[in-house]
Amino acid sequence: RELAVLASQYFQTGQYDSAIEASLRALEKNPDLDLRALLLLNLSSAYLEKGIAPYVSGKDETFYNESLKFSKQCLLIQPNNWQVLGNIATVLMNENNLEQAEKYYAQAEKFADKKSTRYEQLIRHREQVQRRLRGEPGPAEPVHMTVDPSWDASPSKEAGYAAYAKGRFLRF
């Protein structure tokens, strides 16, 4: 669990390579399924963030492909994980695969926690895809994940893990 909290802290500060490394090390310890799913979502999110600049500058899909790989692994454990479905949709939207992005956003919305601060972001992204599918003008730049300022970065590992487990760390 300490590595999971460390990975979360790295992610929150934009240290995606360190977040990836800590998450992979934590996975090597064969965590329980819930923690495993969170770590896979972590990896999906970190690779999504890392993939934006290379894709924009040269259509390099390497990091996006890694994001999708870890997303699919997470879905094997938690098939209704709306955050990982949102990650997949975001990659697809950023790659301009709008029809598939819409399908994943619709599925994510179906399972989303409507009380989550990330739910509004999910809806905004889905609406952006729908507008683009209709040919309406609007932003076409890649979507970044946003860091949740309510994440509990307290020195208590248990408090940090509690925030991590509630899904505050990982977002689409």
Side-chain angles (χ1 to χ4, degrees):
R1 291 181 185 222
E2 290 85 21
L3 284 171
V5 172
L6 183 61
S8 178
Q9 292 168 339
Y10 284 137
F11 184 87
Q12 293 298 317
T13 58
Q15 298 176 63
Y16 304 120
D17 289 327
S18 297
I20 289 167
E21 182 181 325
S23 295
L24 290 171
R25 284 195 338 247
L27 281 174
E28 290 172 0
K29 298 186 181 292
N30 295 315
D32 64 60
L33 286 179
D34 287 337
L35 183 55
R36 183 174 190 75
L38 284 170
L39 291 165
L40 292 168
L41 180 56
N42 173 6
L43 288 162
S44 169
S45 299
Y47 277 113
L48 189 155
E49 281 295 323
K50 281 187 60 152
I52 293 172
Y55 187 78
V56 168
S57 66
K59 300 295 184 208
D60 183 349
E61 297 178 348
T62 304
F63 295 124
Y64 278 171
N65 289 337
E66 287 295 300
S67 176
L68 293 173
K69 176 181 85 173
F70 288 112
S71 292
K72 290 175 183 176
Q73 289 178 28
C74 183
L75 288 177
L76 291 174
I77 299 167
Q78 296 177 344
N80 300 333
N81 186 314
W82 69 278
Q83 293 178 0
V84 80
L85 291 166
N87 274 1
I88 293 170
T90 300
V91 167
L92 294 168
M93 180 174 64
N94 287 352
E95 292 178 333
N96 207 35
N97 187 342
L98 301 179
E99 290 84 10
Q100 287 297 313
E102 166 57 22
K103 289 178 186 176
Y104 277 96
Y105 278 132
Q107 192 173 3
E109 185 177 352
K110 178 180 173 183
F111 299 112
D113 174 2
K114 311 289 190 276
K115 296 177 183 174
S116 169
T117 58
R118 299 294 115 213
Y119 179 69
E120 289 181 28
Q121 181 181 14
L122 173 79
I123 298 304
R124 283 192 311 272
H125 288 180
R126 185 171 184 205
E127 289 171 350
Q128 180 181 352
V129 166
Q130 291 169 339
R131 282 191 303 273
R132 289 171 60 192
L133 282 169
R134 290 189 303 262
E136 295 175 15
E141 68 273 358
V143 173
H144 288 266
M145 292 181 299
T146 57
V147 176
D148 185 354
S150 68
W151 180 76
D152 183 359
S154 70
S156 161
K157 290 179 183 166
E158 286 306 310
Y161 179 72
Y164 179 89
K166 288 179 183 174
R168 290 184 171 169
F169 163 42
L170 301 163
R171 282 147 336 264
F172 57 90

